[in-house]
C-alpha cells in the first residue's frame, strides 16, 4: 500500500482566500470549528492545571500539543456511527465528537454525574456510550486489541444482521422461590442479548490512538497483525510527540520512526503527517477513512505532534529536555499555528479570534462553576456494577433439570458421555440457539484451509483436546476460526467483540499460557463494566484447559492457579469436576451477562469418573451452588476439580475402615462460591478439610479457611486443615509429580487425623 507523506507547507494554501474555498477538504466554517475545539481543549487543560494546584481536582493529564490531529479526526469521522478507542491525549478529539467541557470537569472533580465513570476513573479516561467512545483504562496500549475486536464485531453484524436482533420475550421471569416477578432474574430461555443494544453500520470505521512509546507494547504488534490479516476497518493513529515520559523516540523505536517499522504490513493505507496542522491531518484521516470504508483494510496514521506541558502534572520535562529543544517545539504549537493560519487566510480577523476565545472562556468558566458544585457518588455505591445488574447467574432461573430420558427409543439406557463430549455438545447447542456466539483460539477450528474439508481430504482437528471438533464444519469459518498464536489478542479481541454485543467463547489452550492475556483479563475484561459505571460491558467466556495428574505434563502443561483469578472482582470463575456440571455451568456461563473464566480440567476430559448422558439443550446450573457429592456427618471436605474423585476415593476408604462418614462438597463455581452449603455442613460436622490441587500457600483454600475461622469459629471441634500441592512446580517424572500433587492417600491421612482430633 502507498504511503502518503504530506508536506505541511503544501497544506497551507496560497494567499487570496475566497469565501467558498476549501482547505484540504475543509470549509472555512469547519476550520473555525476546528480552532474552537483546539482552543477549548487547551484552555480546559490550563484550567484543570489551576484546579489541581488549588486541590479541587486530583489529577491532570493534558492533551496539549495534540489538538490539531484530534480536531481533524473528529471532523473526518462520525460520532455515534464510527467507534472510538482514544487515549488520554485525545481531549480535542472528544470535544470534536461532542463531549462537553462540563462533562470533562465532572470527571476532574470525580462527580457522581460524570458520564465516563461516575468518579471511578482519572480525568482523560474517556467513556461516552452514545458517541461510541468506548471506556478507556490506564495501561498503555491495552485499548488497541479491543479496537480490532470492535471492528470485527461490526463486520460480523453487517454480514449477519439477524444475529443482532434480540430474542422476542418478556424482560423478566417469575422468581421460582416466591412466584413474584423479580427484576434481575433471567428467564431460562433468555440471556444477555436482552441487555445489549446492537448497532452497526456497513461502512463504519474504528479509530484507535496511542503514543509513540506505546507502539513498543507487544499488544500493538498483535493488533496490527490481526487487523492486516482480517483487513479490518481500523484506523491506528500514533500521536508521536517524541517522548514517552522521559524516554525519547530514538531509544524507544528502532531507527527512530514507527512508520518505517510498520511499513511491511499488508492491506494497510499509510500516512505520515504533521499532526500540528489540522488541514494536513484532516486530509490524512479522510484518505484513511475512505480506505477503511471501502473495505480495503486498515489504515495507519503517524502524526508528528508536540508535548508542551510535560508528560503530566507530576512530571517536569526540564529535567531531561533542554530549553533549546522545548523552544523548537513551541514554534510548532498547533493552537498558535492554527490561529495564525486563520488570520493569514482572512478566515477570521483579530476581532473574530477575540470573540471566539471570549466565548470559549465564558463557556469554560460556567462549566467549572457548575462542576465544582457537583456531588460525588455515595460511598455505598462503590460495589455497584462489578457484575451485571440485569442478570444474576446465581438465580433460581438458571436451575433446570436434565432432559434426558431413562431410556432411549430402542429401550436401552442412554450412553454416558465424557466431559469433553458434553462440553462439545453444549457449545453446539448454544451456537445453534444464538448466532452471536463466535469461537476462536489456537487450533480450535477443524481446518483453516477449508478446501481440505470440502474435498474431504481431512477430518478436521477442533482443538488440541478436540473440544470444538466439528463446530467449524457445522457453523462456518466466520463463527469458528483459528487465531494467531497470541493470547492477549484472543482475550483483547474478544473483549472488543463483546462490547459490541457478540458472545465470544474463546479458548486458551493451556492455563500455563494464559499469562500474556493477564493484562487484558485483569485490567480490561473484568473492569470495563465497573469503570464505565455500567456504560459498557463485555460478557466473554474464556474456556481454559487446566491442571495436572497427567504423568508427563511437567511444569508447563500442569499448572493450576485459579486463586489468581478468583482474586479479581468482576470475573466469574467456575471449575466443574464432571460431565453434567460442565454442561450445565457452561450454558449458564454463555447465557449470563458477566465475563466468565471456565476452567476445564484436562485429566477429567475423558475420565470414566463423572460421565453422564446428554442432558438436553436447556440444562443449566446456577453459579454459586455447590453439590454434596457424598453426604456425611463426621467431617466436611471442601474441594473442586480433579481433587473431587480423589477425595471420594479417600472418604470411601476411611468409611470402609473406620465407619467415618465424610461429607464432600464440590464447590463447582469458585467465584461466587456457595457459603451457605459450607456453613450448613461445617455446623453439622464441626470438622473441615479444604482440599485443592494448586500449591498450598496463598491459595484458594486460604480464603475458605479464613472465612470458616471468622464466621464458624464456635462450630469447630478441630483446626481447619488444608491439603494441596507442595509449594513447587509440577515435575515431569511421574514419581515426582505424584509427590508434588495431592494424592488420595494425602487426603485419607488428613481426614483420619481430623476425625481423630
Ligand atoms: C503498561 C503500562 N506501562 C507503563 C505505564 C506508565 N506510563 C503512562 S504513560 C507512559 C508513557 C507513554 O508514552 P507515549 O506512548 O509516547 O504517549 P504520550 O504520553 O507521550 O502521549 C508510561 C510509561 C502505563 N500506564 N501502562
Ligand atoms: Mg509520546
Amino acid at each position: 500500500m502507498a504511503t502518503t507523506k504530506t508536506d505541511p507547507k503544501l497544506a497551507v494554501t496560497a494567499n487570496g482566500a475566497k469565501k467558498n474555498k476549501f482547505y484540504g477538504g475543509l470549509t472555512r466554517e469547519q476550520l473555525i470549528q476546528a480552532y474552537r475545539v483546539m482552543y477549548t481543549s487547551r484552555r480546559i487543560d490550563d484550567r484543570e492545571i489551576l484546579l489541581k494546584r488549588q486541590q479541587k481536582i486530583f489529577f491532570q493529564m493534558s492533551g496539549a500539543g495534540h489538538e490539531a490531529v484530534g480536531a481533524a479526526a473528529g471532523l473526518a469521522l462520525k460520532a455515534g456511527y464510527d467507534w472510538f478507542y482514544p487515549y488520554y491525549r485525545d481531549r480535542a478529539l472528544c470535544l470534536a465528537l461532542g463531549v462537553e467541557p462540563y462533562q470533562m470537569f465532572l470527571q476532574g472533580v470525580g462527580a457522581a454525574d460524570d458520564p465516563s465513570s461516575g468518579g471511578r476513573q482519572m480525568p482523560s479516561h474517556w467513556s461516552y456510550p452514545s458517541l461510541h467512545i468506548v471506556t478507556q483504562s490506564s495501561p498503555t496500549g491495552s485499548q488497541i486489541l479491543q479496537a480490532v475486536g470492535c471492528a470485527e464485531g461490526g463486520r460480523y453484524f453487517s454480514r449477519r444482521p439477524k444475529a443482532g436482533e434480540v430474542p422476542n420475550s418478556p424482560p423478566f421471569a417469575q422468581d421460582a422461590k416466591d412466584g413474584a416477578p423479580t427484576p434481575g432474574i433471567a428467564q431460562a430461555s433468555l440471556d444477555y442479548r436482552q441487555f445489549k443494544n446492537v448497532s452497526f453500520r456497513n461502512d463504519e470505521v474504528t479509530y484507535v490512538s496511542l503514543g509513540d512509546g506505546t507502539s513498543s507494547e507487544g499488544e500493538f504488534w498483535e493488533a496490527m497483525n490481526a487487523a492486516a490479516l482480517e483487513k479490518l476497518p481500523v484506523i491506528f493513529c500514533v500521536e508521536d510527540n517524541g517522548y514517552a515520559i522521559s524516554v525519547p523516540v530514538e531509544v524507544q523505536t528502532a531507527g527512530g520512526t514507527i512508520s518505517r517499522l510498520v511499513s511491511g504490513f499488508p492491506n494497510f493505507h499509510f500516512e505520515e503527517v504533521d499532526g500540528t496542522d489540522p488541514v494536513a491531518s484532516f486530509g490524512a484521516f479522510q484518505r484513511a477513512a475512505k480506505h477503511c470504508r471501502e473495505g480495503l483494510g486498515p489504515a495507519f496514521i503517524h502524526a508528528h505532534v508536540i508535548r508542551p506541558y510535560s508528560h503530566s502534572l507530576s512530571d517536569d520535562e526540564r529535567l531531561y529536555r533542554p530549553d533549546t529543544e522545548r523552544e523548537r517545539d513551541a514554534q510548532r504549537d498547533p493552537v498558535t499555528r492554527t490561529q495564525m493560519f486563520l488570520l493569514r487566510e482572512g478566515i477570521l480577523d483579530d476581532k473574530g479570534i477575540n470573540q471566539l476565545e471570549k466565548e470559549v472562556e465564558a463557556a469554560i468558566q460556567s462549566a467549572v462553576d457548575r462542576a465544582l458544585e457537583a456531588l460525588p457518588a455515595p460511598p455505598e455505591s462503590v460495589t455497584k456494577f462489578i457484575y451485571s445488574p440485569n442478570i444474576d447467574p446465581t438465580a433460581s432461573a438458571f436451575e433446570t433439570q436434565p432432559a434426558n430420558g431413562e431410556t432411549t427409543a430402542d429401550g436401552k439406557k442412554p450412553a454416558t458421555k465424557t466431559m469433553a463430549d458434553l462440553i462439545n455438545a453444549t457449545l453446539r447447542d448454544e451456537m445453534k440457539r444464538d448466532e452471536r456466539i463466535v469461537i476462536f483460539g489456537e487450533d480450535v477450528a477443524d481446518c483453516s484451509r477449508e478446501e481440505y474439508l470440502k474435498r474431504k481430504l481431512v477430518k478436521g482437528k477442533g482443538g488440541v483436546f478436540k473440544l470444538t471438533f466439528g463446530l467449524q464444519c457445522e457453523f462456518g469459518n466466520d463463527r469458528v476460526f483459528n487465531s494467531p498464536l497470541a493470547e492477549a489478542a484472543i482475550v483483547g479481541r474478544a473483549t472488543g467483540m463483546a462490547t459490541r454485543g457478540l458472545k465470544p467463547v474463546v479458548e486458551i489452550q493451556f492455563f500455563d499460557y494464559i499469562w500474556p492475556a493477564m493484562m487484558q483479563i485483569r485490567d480490561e475484561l473484568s473492569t470495563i463494566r465497573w469503570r464505565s459505571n455500567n456504560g459498557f460491558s463485555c460478557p466473554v467466556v474464556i474456556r481454559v484447559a487446566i491442571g495436572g495428574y497427567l504423568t508427563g505434563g511437567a511444569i508447563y502443561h500442569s499448572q493450576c492457579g485459579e486463586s489468581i483469578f478468583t482474586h479479581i472482582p468482576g470475573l466469574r470463575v467456575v471449575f466443574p469436576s464432571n460431565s453434567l456440571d460442565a454442561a450445565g455451568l457452561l450454558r449458564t456461563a454463555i447465557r449470563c451477562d458477566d465475563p466468565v473464566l471456565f476452567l476445564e480440567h484436562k485429566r477429567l476430559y475423558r475420565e470414566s469418573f463423572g460421565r453422564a448422558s446428554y442432558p438436553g439443550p436447556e440444562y443449566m446450573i446456577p453459579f454459586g451452588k455447590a453439590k454434596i457429592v457424598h453426604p456425611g456427618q463426621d467431617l466436611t471436605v471442601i474441594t473442586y476439580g480433579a481433587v473431587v474423585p480423589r477425595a471420594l476415593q479417600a472418604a470411601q476408604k476411611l468409611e470402609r475402615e473406620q465407619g467415618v462418614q465424610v461429607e464432600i462438597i464440590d464447590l463447582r463455581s469458585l467465584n461466587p462460591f456457595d457459603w451457605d452449603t459450607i456453613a450448613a455442613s461445617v455446623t453439622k460436622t464441626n470438622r473441615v478439610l479444604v482440599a485443592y490441587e494448586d500449591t498450598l500457600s496463598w491459595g484458594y483454600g486460604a480464603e475458605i479457611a479464613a472465612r470458616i475461622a471468622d464466621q464458624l469459629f464456635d462450630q469447630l471441634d478441630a483446626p481447619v486443615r488444608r491439603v494441596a500441592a507442595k509449594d513447587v512446580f509440577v515435575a515431569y517424572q511421574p514419581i515426582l509429580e505424584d509427590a508434588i500433587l495431592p494424592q488420595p492417600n494425602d487426603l485419607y491421612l488428613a481426614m483420619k487425623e481430623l476425625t481423630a482430633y
Side-chain angles (χ1 to χ4, degrees):
M1 285 290 136
T3 300
T4 310
K5 276 207 179 197
T6 317
D7 179 348
K9 288 191 293 294
L10 294 180
V12 180
T13 41
N15 290 332
K18 305 233 165 45
K19 268 233 147 38
N20 297 327
K21 190 168 165 184
F22 283 93
Y23 297 83
L26 286 172
T27 63
R28 295 159 72 88
E29 284 67 33
Q30 282 176 310
L31 274 168
I32 296 171
Q33 172 57 14
Y35 181 65
R36 185 182 290 275
V37 161
M38 292 167 63
Y39 186 73
T40 305
S41 181
R42 182 66 62 90
R43 296 304 288 152
I44 292 176
D45 278 327
D46 292 338
R47 197 52 188 274
E48 277 192 0
I49 289 167
L50 198 66
L51 289 167
K52 170 74 175 77
R53 296 208 163 111
Q54 295 168 337
Q55 297 182 0
K56 289 182 173 156
I57 66 170
F58 316 100
F59 191 76
Q60 210 280 329
M61 198 77 196
S62 96
H66 293 231
E67 293 95 343
V69 66
L75 283 168
L77 304 174
K78 296 181 246 183
Y81 184 110
D82 297 317
W83 290 78
F84 300 89
Y85 285 77
Y87 87 122
Y88 47 82
R89 303 252 185 247
D90 279 345
R91 188 188 297 289
L93 167 72
C94 291
L95 289 167
L97 293 174
V99 180
E100 292 177 9
Y102 171 59
Q103 297 175 316
M104 294 188 175
F105 288 117
L106 283 179
Q107 211 182 13
V109 299
D113 288 344
D114 150 34
S116 282
S117 79
R120 293 172 172 197
Q121 286 224 87
M122 288 174 159
S124 300
H125 287 57
W126 324 108
S127 175
Y128 301 97
S130 65
L131 301 173
H132 293 181
I133 299 175
V134 182
T135 171
Q136 292 304 290
S137 59
S138 298
T140 49
S142 53
Q143 74 278 22
I144 316 171
L145 285 165
Q146 291 171 38
V148 169
C150 170
E152 285 179 286
R155 174 186 286 180
Y156 185 90
F157 284 121
S158 70
R159 289 179 179 169
R160 290 176 175 262
K162 276 196 96 53
E165 291 171 10
V166 178
N168 197 9
S169 301
F172 298 116
Q174 307 287 103
D175 181 353
K177 283 190 199 119
D178 57 10
T182 311
I185 306 269
Q187 201 167 5
S189 61
L190 295 180
D191 56 50
Y192 71 97
R193 284 175 292 184
Q194 245 190 290
F195 305 98
K196 270 284 186 196
N197 253 344
V198 169
S199 81
F200 60 92
R201 308 285 182 152
N202 293 337
D203 67 344
E204 66 177 48
V205 164
T206 299
Y207 164 98
V208 63
S209 60
L210 55 140
D212 46 291
T214 299
S215 69
S216 299
E217 293 282 4
E219 290 191 10
F220 165 74
W221 297 94
E222 292 183 20
M224 291 288 287
N225 187 44
L229 271 169
E230 301 295 328
K231 287 176 103 178
L232 289 167
V234 181
I235 300 179
F236 295 78
C237 177
V238 171
E239 298 178 22
D240 183 351
N241 55 24
Y243 277 92
I245 309 186
S246 67
V247 182
V249 67
E250 72 276 13
V251 176
Q252 188 77 246
T253 304
T257 165
I258 188 65
S259 276
R260 194 157 98 217
L261 295 191
V262 299
S263 62
F265 278 105
N267 303 322
F268 265 85
H269 173 78
F270 292 106
E271 295 272 351
E272 186 169 1
V273 68
D274 180 352
T276 64
D277 179 343
V279 176
S281 300
F282 179 77
F285 270 98
Q286 270 207 318
R287 290 185 291 275
K290 184 167 181 288
H291 178 82
C292 291
R293 293 198 202 285
E294 286 173 357
L296 300 175
F300 185 90
I301 297 177
H302 180 189
H304 294 277
V305 295
I306 60 163
R307 195 199 65 182
Y309 285 8
S310 293
H311 173 70
S312 73
L313 220 51
S314 323
D315 173 45
D316 179 359
E317 66 175 1
R318 286 170 304 188
L319 296 174
Y320 52 87
R321 298 183 79 186
D323 287 348
T324 43
E325 187 183 305
R326 296 172 58 239
E327 279 154 19
R328 210 169 44 238
D329 262 13
Q331 304 295 317
R332 293 176 56 223
D333 189 299
V335 176
T336 38
R337 232 186 123 176
T338 306
Q339 188 195 87
M340 299 303 287
F341 175 76
L342 296 178
L343 288 168
R344 198 168 58 243
E345 288 294 309
I347 296 169
L348 280 181
D349 57 13
D350 278 342
K351 227 174 106 199
I353 296 275
N354 273 340
Q355 174 69 21
L356 181 151
E357 292 182 356
K358 255 199 195 144
E359 285 165 15
V360 168
E361 300 294 348
I364 288 179
Q365 186 58 49
S366 130
V368 170
D369 291 344
R370 285 165 61 212
L372 289 177
E373 299 284 303
L375 297 174
E380 61 274 16
S381 69
V382 292
T383 50
K384 252 177 115 177
F385 307 133
I386 297 171
Y387 299 104
S388 170
N390 300 313
I391 295 182
D392 174 5
T394 70
S396 53
F398 283 97
E399 192 158 12
T400 60
Q401 294 309 309
N404 47 330
E406 291 297 299
T407 51
T408 57
D410 54 5
K412 290 190 185 135
K413 275 202 155 218
T416 54
K417 303 281 184 189
T418 64
M419 186 188 279
D421 293 335
L422 287 193
I423 288 174
N424 181 269
T426 306
L427 292 171
R428 178 173 280 108
D429 287 343
E430 290 303 294
M431 288 194 82
K432 246 183 241 163
R433 176 182 177 274
D434 178 359
E435 203 183 342
R436 292 195 202 173
I437 296 174
V438 290
I439 288 181
F440 61 100
E442 293 152 16
D443 301 288
V444 300
D446 288 319
C447 181
S448 288
R449 293 180 176 162
E450 264 199 308
E451 70 273 17
Y452 296 165
L453 290 168
K454 281 191 189 128
R455 289 163 57 202
K456 299 209 174 356
L457 298 176
V458 296
K459 219 174 128 205
K461 186 163 177 73
V464 293
F465 298 103
K466 304 196 71 60
L467 278 269
T468 49
F469 178 73
L471 300 179
Q472 179 200 350
C473 289
E474 187 164 343
F475 298 102
N477 67 352
D478 62 335
R479 295 192 65 193
V480 182
F481 53 92
N482 287 327
S483 69
L485 204 170
E487 288 75 11
I490 293 170
V491 176
R493 285 165 70 183
T495 302
M497 289 181 194
T499 305
R500 297 294 301 273
L502 283 179
K503 174 64 81 167
V505 181
V506 297
E507 181 176 301
I508 297 291
Q509 200 164 73
F510 291 91
F511 183 88
D512 315 69
Y513 312 128
I514 200 168
W515 312 117
M518 196 60 180
M519 176 78 93
Q520 286 294 333
I521 295 173
R522 174 65 181 82
D523 282 354
E524 298 292 334
L525 183 72
S526 314
T527 67
I528 279 177
R529 189 190 290 276
W530 184 85
R531 77 183 194 219
S532 67
N533 213 9
N534 206 32
F536 292 95
S537 65
C538 48
V540 172
V541 178
I542 308 174
R543 294 181 37 250
V544 192
I546 191 170
Y549 299 110
L550 304 177
T551 53
I555 167 169
Y556 298 113
H557 296 84
S558 307
Q559 290 174 34
C560 281
E562 57 277 8
S563 64
I564 294 165
F565 295 88
T566 52
H567 194 62
I568 300 176
L571 184 67
R572 309 286 192 182
V573 182
V574 292
F575 200 157
S577 72
N578 60 77
S579 306
L580 201 59
D581 286 355
L585 290 168
L586 181 57
R587 183 161 287 107
T588 303
I590 290 173
R591 295 190 189 180
C592 87
D593 199 24
D594 296 317
V596 181
L597 190 72
F598 191 84
L599 301 172
E600 303 170 0
H601 202 290
K602 298 183 287 276
R603 180 62 202 260
L604 298 176
Y605 271 152
R606 293 183 169 80
E607 282 280 90
S608 45
F609 167 81
R611 293 190 183 192
S613 51
Y614 170 66
E618 291 298 330
Y619 180 58
M620 285 185 288
I621 298 172
F623 291 170
K625 198 150 194 275
K627 185 165 148 193
I628 296 175
V629 292
H630 186 272
Q633 61 282 327
D634 300 323
L635 168 70
T636 299
V637 175
I638 301 162
T639 187
Y640 52 89
V643 182
V644 173
R646 287 159 181 79
L648 259 173
Q649 220 179 307
Q652 282 157 357
K653 184 174 172 198
L654 197 61
E655 193 171 340
R656 272 198 312 274
E657 285 178 3
Q658 305 195 353
V660 168
Q661 293 200 319
V662 177
E663 179 144 293
I664 299 178
I665 297 175
D666 178 358
L667 285 178
R668 309 199 285 192
S669 73
L670 307 185
N671 180 28
F673 75 97
D674 188 346
W675 174 249
D676 291 348
T677 296
I678 293 175
S681 180
V682 174
T683 303
K684 179 173 63 176
T685 65
N686 315 113
R687 286 157 210 272
V688 58
L689 175 70
V690 191
Y692 51 103
E693 182 183 333
D694 201 1
T695 43
L696 179 77
S697 303
W698 317 104
Y700 188 77
E703 176 65 25
I704 302 289
R707 289 258 187 127
I708 292 170
D710 182 7
Q711 291 172 35
L712 300 173
F713 182 74
D714 294 343
Q715 307 294 336
L716 293 174
D717 287 343
V720 181
R721 282 273 149 82
R722 288 169 296 160
V723 170
K726 292 194 171 59
D727 287 336
V728 297
F729 310 103
V730 179
Y732 167 71
Q733 160 61 247
I735 291 172
L736 302 182
E737 184 188 43
D738 279 358
I740 291 161
L741 295 181
Q743 304 300 327
N745 196 46
D746 301 319
L747 292 152
Y748 164 80
L749 292 175
M751 289 176 189
K752 197 166 153 187
E753 202 184 304
L754 274 179
T755 45
Y757 192 90

